[in-house]
Amino acid sequence: FFFFHLLLVGMGALILNTFLKEYNKGRSNFIYWLLYVVLIMFNPLIIGYSHTLLTEAVTPGIIMLSCYLIYKWTDISWQNDKLKLILYSISFALIMVFMWFLKQPYMPIIFFLVFISSILISIKQKSWKVFLERMICTISMVAVLLISIVSWNFILDYNHVNKNLDKTNSSFLANGIVSGLNYHYKKVDRKIACSVSYIKNSDLNKETKEEILTLKDQNKNWCNYFSIYNITNKDGVIEQVALITHDNKASVKESIAFWFKSFTSHPLLMMHTYYKNYLATIDLYSSNVVAGVGYVPGNELNLEAEHENTSLAFATYTHIPLCWWLYWGTSEEILQLDVVKNMKNFEGWQEVSEEEETFIKENIKPFYLMIFRIVLFLALPLAIYSFVEFMKHKQNKIYYFTTILFASSFFHILFHAVMGALIDRYAFVVMPIVILGIILLFVPKEYLVKETKAKKIPFKKDGKLLFVIPAYNEEKNIEKVIKDIKKNMPASDIVITNDCSKDNTKEIVESLGVPCLNVPFNMGYAMAVQTGIKYAYENDYDYVIQFDGDGQHLASEAKKLLQKMEESNANIVIGSRFLEKTDYKHPLFRRIGTKIFQILIKLFCHKEITDPTSGFQLLDRSVIERYAKIGKYPEFPDANLIIEMLLNGYEIEEISVKMKLNDTGQSMHGGIIKPIKYMINVLYTIMFIFIKGRYIKEDK
C-alpha cells in the first residue's frame, strides 16, 4: 500500500510540476501544491479505507502512472519515433493486462485514457493518418488483453480447473449488461415464473410464450433457460419481456442482443436508468441490494448516502467494538479465536454503551464523501468545458490533458453504471485524477516565457583555444602530455586542474610554465573538468578541448576535431574510438556500458553516437558558457550530458580518432565495482533529466 500510494503521489506531483514549470513561470506555486497535498496526499478516502489492503491500494497509483505515460505519448509519431511509439504501446498493453487480472472493474479506465487521448491527438494534429496509427495501438492493446485471457484459460484447462462458475469473465460481462437495466427492468422471481399457468397468462408476446413452453417440453430444467422482466415506469408495468438462453446461463452475445432490443424499444427508460446508476455509483443516490439482481439505485437525491466506502473505511468509528479489519457480519466463531482476541487488545478494543454507539453513528460522517460526490459529479461538465476550450486552443496542453482526465473518468464510471456495478469504490479510483484535473484548470493557460533552441555560433579559425586537463597523481604522464600539445598545437593554451594530487604533479606543471589550478581537496574527475571550463569561460576562450592527463589522448588528433567543427558548425565534436575500426581495446564492462548508452541516445534523441563515454571533446563558446553555469555538474559527464545537450537543441558530431591506453594501465572505471557504480550513476542522472524536464522546448 505504501509503495503504490507513493506512486500515486509521485506521479501526480510530476504531472503537476510539469505544467507549473511550463505555464506558471515566475509566479508562486504555493496554492497549487497546497491543494494537491490536502486533496491527494491526505485524502482519508485513501488512507482510512480498509480496501487499500487489497486492490484499491494498487489501482490509483497505476492509473496516475498511466496518465503520465499518456502525457509523454502525445508528441510521439510513427514517422519520427517508431521505437518509442511501440514501447509506449507495449507499456499500455501490459498495464491493461495487469489491471484486468488485478480486478476487472479497474481495467476500463486504462482503455479510455488511451482511446480518448488517441482521438484528441488526431484532432490536434488534424490527421487521419495519426488517428489510424493511434487506433492501431489501441486495438493492439485490446488484442494483447484477449490473448492473455485466452492463454490463462488454456492454462486452467490444461490443469483441469473447472471454469464453469458464476465468476468467470464472460459471466461477469453477460450478467452486467442485463443487471445495468435493473431500475426499470424488474426481474420476476424464478419460483413464480417457473409455472406453465404463469407463462400462459403473462403479458409476454405469443412467440416468446411458445419458445418458453417448447423449452419445457425439451428440458426438465427449463426454468434455468429464461428470465422474465417487468418493464416499469412511474405509472407501473408497461411491458413484459424475456431473456431466453441456449444454456443455463446467458452468453455475452445473448445479453447484447437483449440490450439492443431493449434500447430500440425503450431508449429513454434506459438512459434514465444509467443516469440514476451513475449518481448511485458516486453516492448521490442510495444503492439498495436486491437479492438476485445486485444493486439498484434509490428514487431520490441523497447527500448522506453511504455505500461500501463508508461501511468499510469507517467501521472503527461507527461501530467501535470492531477492529479495523473486521466489519459487520463477522461470525462469533471467528471473534472467539485467540488470535482475534489478541488483536482486540492490540487495537485497543473497548465496549461502548448503546447511547454512545448511536451518537457515533449519527454524528461522525466522513467529510470526504461530500468532496467525493462533488468532484465526480463535475467530471462530465468539466470534460465538456475542457474539450470546448481545447477545440479553441488546440496547442494548449492543459485543456488537452484535462479533457483526457475528466472524460476518461466519466466514461469509467459510466461503464460501471451501464454494467450495474453501482459500487462507489469502483468510482473512487479515478477521484485522484479528477482532482488533479481540477487543480490544473486553475493554472494560467498562456506561455509566460518563450524559449528557443541553442544559438549557432559561426566557427572562428582564429578563435582562442584552451586544452582543459584534469590531473590527479599524474606525475608519470603529465609532462609528456603537455609537451605533446605544445609540439602539435603550439597556438593553443593549456590549463591543468590539479585535483589535490598527492605526488609531484603540481611541481611538474608549474616547472613547465603552464597555468595550474590547485584545488584544496579532491573533487573528482567531473568537477576538475568543470573547474577548467569555468576558467575558460571567465577568460573568454572560444573553444575548449577536454583532454585527459593520463596520456591516452593524442594532441595530433585534436586537429581533426577542429576541422570537423569547422565543416559541420556543430556545438560539440566528440573524438570517437569506434566510428571507424581501430586497434583500441575496450574492457568488457566498459563495452557493455557504451552499447547501452548508444541505445539510450538513439532512443531518446534519434542521434547515433558511437562513443558516448569519450572524454576527448571539443566545445564551442555556447557549450562552455552552459557547462560553466551548471549548478551540479554530473559526477560522470558522459551519455547523460550528451542526452541533455541534444534535448536542448545543441548539435553534436563525431570524428574518428586514435587513442592509446594510459601508460599506467589504470582507469577510473577499472575493476568490477567501479563500472557498476558508474552505470547506476549515469542511468540515474538520465532518468532525472526527464523527470525534471531540464530541456528547452522549441519556440511556439
Side-chain angles (χ1 to χ4, degrees), residues 579-592:
L579 191 61
E580 297 175 4
K581 190 172 182 179
T582 64
D583 296 331
Y584 187 87
K585 294 182 179 180
H586 213 35
L588 175 62
F589 286 106
R590 293 291 304 275
R591 192 159 64 244
I592 294 171

Side-chain angles (χ1 to χ4, degrees), residues 17 39 50 63 141 149 155-156 187 196 198 201 261 264 279 281 362 368 391 467 486 510 544 570 608 663 683 687 690:
N17 188 58
L39 297 175
S50 68
I63 292 172
M141 287 170 46
I149 294 171
I155 293 172
L156 295 179
K187 188 175 182 180
V196 174
Y198 179 85
N201 296 319
K261 185 177 180 180
T264 54
L279 296 181
T281 307
E362 291 178 352
Y368 68 83
M391 293 301 291
F467 278 80
K486 287 185 173 182
E510 290 177 345
V544 158
E608 194 78 48
D663 293 344
L683 292 172
M687 177 182 71
F690 288 93

Side-chain angles (χ1 to χ4, degrees), residues 656-675:
S656 179
V657 296
K658 295 178 182 178
M659 292 189 197
K660 62 178 183 177
L661 291 173
N662 60 51
D663 293 344
T664 62
Q666 297 177 349
S667 169
M668 65 177 178
H669 300 310
I672 298 177
I673 302 300
K674 286 182 179 179

Side-chain angles (χ1 to χ4, degrees), residues 38 49 72-73 121 124 142 161 194 199 256 278 280 335 386 404 413 416 437 452 515 533 688:
V38 171
Y49 186 24
K72 302 295 289 186
W73 193 48
I121 292 169
K124 186 177 181 180
V142 177
V161 176
C194 190
I199 299 297
I256 291 175
Y278 187 97
L335 293 175
S386 295
I404 294 173
I413 301 171
H416 291 95
T452 57
I533 292 173
F688 269 88

Side-chain angles (χ1 to χ4, degrees), residues 73 76 78 81-89 134 137:
W73 193 48
I76 302 173
W78 179 258
D81 302 283
K82 292 183 178 66
L83 182 57
K84 265 191 182 181
L85 193 62
I86 292 171
L87 288 175
Y88 273 86
S89 300
R134 301 296 167 139
C137 294

Side-chain angles (χ1 to χ4, degrees), residues 595-645:
K595 191 64 180 176
I596 292 173
F597 294 147
Q598 288 174 354
I599 294 171
L600 290 175
I601 294 170
K602 178 71 173 177
L603 176 65
F604 294 124
C605 306
H606 315 292
K607 181 74 177 179
E608 194 78 48
I609 300 293
T610 63
D611 195 355
T613 63
S614 172
F616 192 15
Q617 299 183 14
L618 172 63
L619 319 176
D620 73 0
R621 178 66 186 178
S622 67
V623 180
I624 294 170
E625 180 178 1
R626 183 176 177 87
Y627 282 8
K629 293 181 179 180
I630 291 178
K632 189 172 183 181
Y633 204 73
E635 183 180 355
F636 300 108
D638 287 330
N640 44 7
L641 210 49
I642 290 173
I643 288 175
E644 184 165 349
M645 297 302 284

